[in-house]
């Protein structure tokens, strides 16, 4: 039962730290674009290679 005197305040501090980290990340734009990086992998923005005009033997 004595361990509760340690675990309850420790868990409250841990919840406070997690909440602070989440708020900090939200304020600094961490969650602004959740789908962009996933779509950028699929989108092919490379230009196709131009054919050579030089004749080949």
């Amino acid at each position: 039962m004595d361990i509760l005197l340690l675990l309850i305040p420790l868990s409250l501090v841990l919840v406070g730290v997690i909440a602070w980290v989440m708020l900090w990340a939200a304020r600094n734009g961490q969650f602004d674009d959740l789908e962009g990086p996933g779509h950028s992998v699929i989108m092919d923005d490379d230009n196709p290679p131009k054919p050579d005009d030089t004749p080949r033997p």
Side-chain angles (χ1 to χ4, degrees), residues 3-39:
I3 194 69
L4 289 178
L5 294 175
L6 175 68
L7 289 179
I8 291 174
L10 188 63
S11 65
L12 292 175
V13 168
L14 184 63
V15 166
V17 168
I18 291 171
W20 178 78
V21 168
M22 290 295 290
L23 288 173
W24 175 82
R27 288 183 185 150
N28 287 322
Q30 183 69 31
F31 305 115
D32 285 348
D33 185 16
L34 296 178
E35 295 181 7
H39 292 294

